[in-house]
Amino acid sequence: MPELPEVETIARGLASRVTGDIIESVWLGEKPEPLKSAASEIVATLEKRRIAGVRRVGKHIVFDLVRNGTPDAMASETKRKDKRSANVRIDGSRSSRARLKVPSALSRKGASPSQAEWIVHLGMTGRMLVCRPEVEIEKHTHAIVTLASGRELRFVDPRRFGRLSVSPAFIAAGLEPLDIELQPFTGLFRGRKTPIKSALLNQKLLSGVGNIYADESLFRAGVRPRRRAASLTREDLKRLYVNLKEVLKEAIALGGSSVADYVDADGEEGFFQLQHRVYGREGEPCLTCKTLIKRVVIAGRSSHYCPKCQK
DNA sequence: AATGAAACCTGACAGC
DNA sequence: TGCTGTCAGGTTTCAT
């Protein structure tokens, strides 16, 4: 569901609410699908850690975790030696609210690095909620993290395309659209025969651009989504570069786009959907020239464009 | 190597 | 009311 501006909004909301809090325990649902790392490793990495910060990397939410009372990461401590999975049991019964029990040896000092990261990808329908324990547990809740402040952090994801993982230091595959400079940006598309729309969605090139902002940036740049990436001129690429950054920044300023059911960490909707010029406007007049907006499918994704404004 | 289609899931909505 | 078909903001895997 969420793309870069939505994830940025959610990460900022989470940062303001849970930074400094301490993770007491972790419950993981019975379905293994949302887990990219082993359940035992996630539990062992999260429990008893302090949340030093929350940030966005591409479309990922990254929780920076430090050992409680250890504000600074110990850079040398990056090697992980666990033999812990054997004793960890997953109890999926939501009603009993059973918690994973981690053997005490795992919490001993030195059992894991002092710095770690909890990575959350929301997929299409994932949400992260911060709430009181008495709040009813929604259907499709796959993880509940109990905080020392008495609140809970809950991961809810009906379609289960979201993923949870842990890592010593997560690195996105692609480059950050908001940080990249013009030269590396143009270099990403050199020699690529794939449609520019597909290239923009390729997370190994740029991380964070999704279907809405790909369509919106291409409209602003006046480039048709089916154009071969390599066919874009220097001027096309410059306009795409400028407009992609612009549309992402504007969307972040408005709290992202709420098309279906996206809400941020505080349950607030974004407002950028009101600024969409092509996305979701098939058959409606172009805001610039009144030509009807077309929708085609490119690499399996809906793509919206103005046949007159985009060449 | 690179490209596209299919698969992974559930829910909402339109049309009959 | 309820059935069927379509669509969805993402990523990975498989075939070509």
Side-chain angles (χ1 to χ4, degrees), chain A residues 160-186:
Chain A
R160 281 191 267 147
F161 287 174
R163 291 291 178 266
L164 306 180
S165 62
V166 290
S167 160
F170 176 74
I171 298 171
L175 298 168
E176 272 293 327
L178 291 177
D179 298 339
I180 192 170
E181 298 193 24
L182 179 60
Q183 293 311 318
F185 180 84
T186 58

Side-chain angles (χ1 to χ4, degrees), chain A residues 217-229:
Chain A
S217 59
L218 285 169
F219 172 78
R220 292 188 182 203
V223 175
R224 287 205 189 189
R226 244 199 257 277
R227 285 267 302 280
R228 303 269 173 198

Side-chain angles (χ1 to χ4, degrees), chain A residues 5-34:
Chain A
E6 291 75 38
V7 179
E8 178 71 30
T9 303
I10 292 165
R12 287 179 185 178
L14 289 169
S16 73
R17 303 184 75 175
V18 304
T19 296
D21 216 329
I22 293 162
I23 295 172
E24 295 209 316
S25 57
V26 177
W27 171 91
L28 298 173
E30 72 278 17
K31 301 280 184 129
E33 290 96 321

